[in-house]
Amino acid sequence: MPNDIVERYSGNPILTKADIPYPVETVHNAAVVKHGDQYIMLFRSHLRTGRSIIGLACSQDGYKFVADAEPFLIPTQEGPFAAYEEFGVEDPRVTKIDDDYLITYSAYSRNGVRIALAKTKDFDEIERVSLITQADYRNTVIFPEKFDGLYARLDRPHSEISPWSIWITYSPDLVFWGESQLVMKPEPYHWDEMKIGPGAPPIKTDRGWLSIYHGVFQTMDGSVYRLGAALHDLHNPAKILGIGDSWILQPEDPWEITGYVHNVVFTCGAVPEPDGTVKIYWGGADTVMCVGEAKIAELVDLCLQHSRAAV
Ligand code: BMA
């Protein structure tokens, strides 16, 4: 295995609060997708209230992004979402399926944190579709294909008895979700022993669905957020084919080690490229956006050849 399976871009960080035309304190945990010949980034920003909103930035090459003049998604004051977005909207993920980009994000309120689903065709008009989980869920990514006619998502409920594990859930219509199953748990005394959560929406490869997830380890100096890789069966995504035993990325650059929350690399998006590489985007220390590249085949090899148990 290569030592650095993810090669950091030398121009990191690629987007910071200095690049945003409206007042924000951070730029992090962004979804990135290709839309036509552009890369679209939906990023999270803290305001000075400590609450978060979501902004949009565009790029021709996946490295140099220019932010829109106005935020993309702020807590709504109207309709059924208002009571659940009062404390902010966080950590978007985007999946293209058919003609729609589906956006999942964490909706925070005095009622807890739950997942909201919105959709857009053009990143101009956005429609809120449904609040798709109850409270105590974060980190929900939708697969870009259906399985036996059903949408599938990886999600991350929390319970005291089985902390912060990854589950799979299905839906016929994006509104009603069920048939949930546990697929993957944190591994005791391991880099991801405290909690795990889906990161980027899964990427289809010839050997399975590649999922880049985050794992957390608790230290005397607080938690360390790292990234890992897991492989799900192509036809039955509830089946894990392998989970890489070692992390693929950990906080090392100064802007990953120090910031709003120290020692964090956290992904919400990765873009596969035609040459077999993947651009992985991550927030550094909940403060800035970074990008790096990996070879998809090497990530898949890590999952299959250096595997740890799933549950
Ligand atoms: C998690 C979430 C993420 C954040 C991470 C590190 O619980 O809040 O949005 O990046 O903590 O602070």
Side-chain angles (χ1 to χ4, degrees):
M1 272 303 133
N3 226 356
D4 286 322
I5 198 163
V6 179
E7 195 181 325
R8 284 175 165 83
Y9 173 57
S10 59
N12 280 343
I14 56 168
L15 204 69
T16 74
K17 69 175 187 174
D19 303 312
I20 311 305
Y22 44 90
V24 294
E25 294 306 306
T26 62
V27 174
H28 65 298
N29 297 5
V32 182
V33 280
K34 271 192 184 162
H35 172 49
D37 57 0
Q38 289 203 311
Y39 294 74
I40 303 282
M41 174 187 281
L42 298 185
F43 58 87
R44 168 179 170 196
S45 286
H46 285 100
L47 303 175
R48 285 205 178 173
T49 54
R51 296 181 180 176
S52 295
I53 59 171
I54 293 171
L56 185 148
C58 294
S59 169
Q60 299 298 330
D61 62 4
Y63 299 104
K64 191 180 179 326
F65 283 85
V66 177
D68 275 5
E70 304 285 337
F72 177 72
L73 186 77
I74 60 172
T76 182
Q77 315 267 337
E78 290 160 19
F81 285 65
Y84 298 100
E85 295 185 359
E86 177 196 7
F87 292 172
V89 289
E90 303 188 0
D91 297 4
R93 271 82 174 191
V94 181
T95 295
K96 187 169 191 207
I97 188 157
D98 303 327
D99 283 343
D100 286 318
Y101 293 96
L102 304 178
I103 306 168
T104 50
Y105 58 95
S106 302
Y108 273 81
S109 72
R110 65 193 66 219
N111 306 312
V113 54
R114 62 189 302 198
I115 298 296
L117 170 69
K119 68 179 183 185
T120 182
K121 288 195 191 304
D122 52 11
F123 293 97
D124 229 2
E125 302 279 306
I126 172 167
E127 180 194 336
R128 282 172 169 83
V129 177
S130 184
L131 290 149
I132 59 172
T133 71
Q134 295 162 301
D136 276 342
Y137 279 78
R138 288 179 37 86
N139 306 311
T140 294
V141 299
I142 297 178
F143 283 82
E145 282 181 17
K146 293 184 191 172
F147 300 89
D148 295 329
L150 299 176
Y151 295 95
R153 74 181 193 210
L154 300 176
D155 53 31
R156 214 286 303 278
H158 175 54
S159 84
E160 296 282 319
I161 298 171
S162 172
W164 298 290
S165 303
I166 297 178
W167 291 60
I168 194 163
T169 308
Y170 300 91
S171 173
D173 58 4
L174 295 174
V175 174
F176 297 96
W177 293 83
E179 301 269 324
S180 295
Q181 283 181 58
L182 173 70
V183 292
M184 181 174 158
K185 290 177 79 145
E187 172 85 344
Y189 211 73
H190 196 254
W191 66 268
D192 67 359
E193 83 161 352
M194 182 192 176
K195 49 179 167 173
I196 56 174
I203 293 167
K204 194 174 194 182
T205 77
D206 51 0
R207 290 183 280 169
W209 290 98
L210 178 66
S211 158
I212 300 171
Y213 72 99
H214 68 262
V216 186
F217 189 83
Q218 186 97 57
T219 75
M220 294 300 284
D221 185 35
S223 308
V224 181
Y225 277 72
R226 300 184 173 98
L227 302 184
L231 197 70
H232 297 242
D233 185 84
L234 273 184
H235 307 291
N236 174 14
K239 185 173 163 201
I240 297 270
L241 302 178
I243 303 171
D245 191 44
S246 27
W247 68 70
I248 61 166
L249 190 79
Q250 70 157 349
E252 281 174 16
D253 271 336
W255 46 84
E256 298 163 349
I257 292 171
T258 311
Y260 193 85
V261 179
H262 66 277
N263 284 325
V264 177
V265 292
F266 192 96
T267 189
C268 293
V271 176
E273 300 287 5
D275 66 357
T277 62
V278 56
K279 287 189 177 66
I280 303 173
Y281 293 86
W282 64 88
D286 285 3
T287 306
V288 297
M289 273 311 296
C290 306
V291 64
E293 247 170 45
K295 295 193 172 70
I296 291 174
E298 287 183 358
L299 294 172
V300 172
D301 285 346
L302 177 75
C303 296
L304 294 175
Q305 293 167 18
H306 303 270
S307 222
R308 67 130 164 119
V311 291

